[in-house]
Amino acid sequence: MTDAIKIDVWSDIACPWCYIGKRNLENGLAVVAEDADAPQVEVTYHSYELSPDTPVDFDGDELDFLAGHKGMPREKVQEMLNNVTGVAAGSGLEYRFDLLQHTNTVKAHELLHFAKAQGAQHAMAERLMSAYFTEGRHVGRIDDLVALAAEAGLDADAARDALESGRHLSDVRADQAQAQAYGIQGVPFFVIDGKYGVSGAQPADAFAQITRQVWSERQQA
């Protein structure tokens, strides 16, 4: 029995290309799952904060944040958001930047590590990104995160205890240190089987192709 291919994904809840990359990866893996000799794949999400200095309650909308953060005119920022909204739609995602509540994501990352320990990281990642990009939910405050954890099937009291104690902050920092060691400077970033690095929200067929390639290499070895 060949061991599963490990795909490690560095991403941020507040990264629009990360949600697109997540969906494209899932769609690519769904295609190869239909192969006669379907690869076994294990996907793990890792923490990366794009804007760690962002306050939990940011005063303004996404246009305000990006215009200030990137020093771009609001018109250019709106063009950029329109573009990513269109790309997201092509991956089956309905982005609502008009509803989005910009926030600090460190607690969301802590929650992902809590969910990972419960075997529910994928469900939690999907719930957080959907809440942030398509529903206009707040993903920075503990009360809001506990509610989202419960919606993802996790125990609310246990999730609250994990977030209030901050016991998974060291896991978040370890992920970030690993990203730095790999030289990762932007997300999403995918490390395939510890040896191939894939940067950006690649199309689903690109993920299918590299997965098949790595699986074939495994079989030959």
Side-chain angles (χ1 to χ4, degrees):
M1 180 68 181
T2 305
D3 290 340
I5 296 170
K6 295 189 183 303
I7 301 181
D8 293 284
V9 186
W10 271 263
S11 65
D12 192 1
I13 300 304
C15 163
W17 294 104
C18 291
Y19 196 14
I20 294 168
K22 176 181 182 295
R23 186 62 85 246
N24 288 352
L25 173 64
E26 291 166 347
N27 290 339
L29 293 180
V31 170
V32 298
E34 300 297 321
D35 291 357
D37 179 27
Q40 301 299 307
V41 181
E42 179 183 312
V43 180
T44 303
Y45 290 94
H46 299 276
S47 304
Y48 191 101
E49 290 179 273
L50 285 172
S51 304
D53 56 345
T54 303
V56 171
D57 291 300
F58 177 75
D59 185 17
D61 61 15
E62 188 69 354
L63 279 171
D64 294 324
F65 175 79
L66 289 174
H69 191 69
K70 294 183 177 293
M72 295 169 57
R74 287 177 66 89
E75 296 76 19
K76 285 289 184 186
V77 172
Q78 187 62 63
E79 282 181 28
M80 188 172 67
L81 295 181
N82 291 344
N83 175 59
V84 73
T85 298
V87 176
S91 296
L93 301 170
E94 185 184 357
Y95 278 8
R96 292 293 306 271
F97 286 108
D98 56 321
L99 301 178
L100 189 149
Q101 298 187 63
H102 203 83
T103 186
N104 189 288
T105 59
V106 69
K107 283 294 177 187
H109 285 295
E110 290 180 38
L111 182 57
L112 279 174
H113 279 282
F114 167 75
K116 179 183 176 184
Q118 313 301 312
Q121 190 192 42
H122 289 200
M124 193 71 254
E126 179 64 28
R127 191 69 203 93
L128 285 166
M129 288 180 164
S130 175
Y132 186 71
F133 283 109
T134 75
E135 303 166 36
R137 301 274 293 273
H138 202 293
V139 301
R141 297 183 296 243
I142 288 179
D143 285 349
D144 298 276
L145 289 168
V146 168
L148 290 168
E151 290 171 22
L154 293 164
D155 181 89
D157 291 337
R160 181 179 297 279
D161 179 68
L163 292 173
E164 289 181 346
S165 69
R167 68 172 178 266
H168 290 290
L169 181 59
S170 60
D171 298 318
V172 175
R173 299 301 181 226
D175 277 353
Q176 293 168 331
Q178 183 63 67
Q180 190 170 21
Y182 278 147
I184 297 171
Q185 297 182 327
V187 287
F189 195 91
F190 306 81
V191 177
I192 318 292
D193 235 24
K195 58 182 180 178
Y196 296 111
V198 177
S199 180
Q202 301 297 321
D205 58 357
F207 287 117
Q209 181 180 350
I210 192 168
T211 302
R212 286 174 173 142
Q213 176 188 328
V214 172
W215 193 244
S216 175
E217 291 171 1
R218 287 282 201 85
Q219 303 293 69
Q220 290 169 11

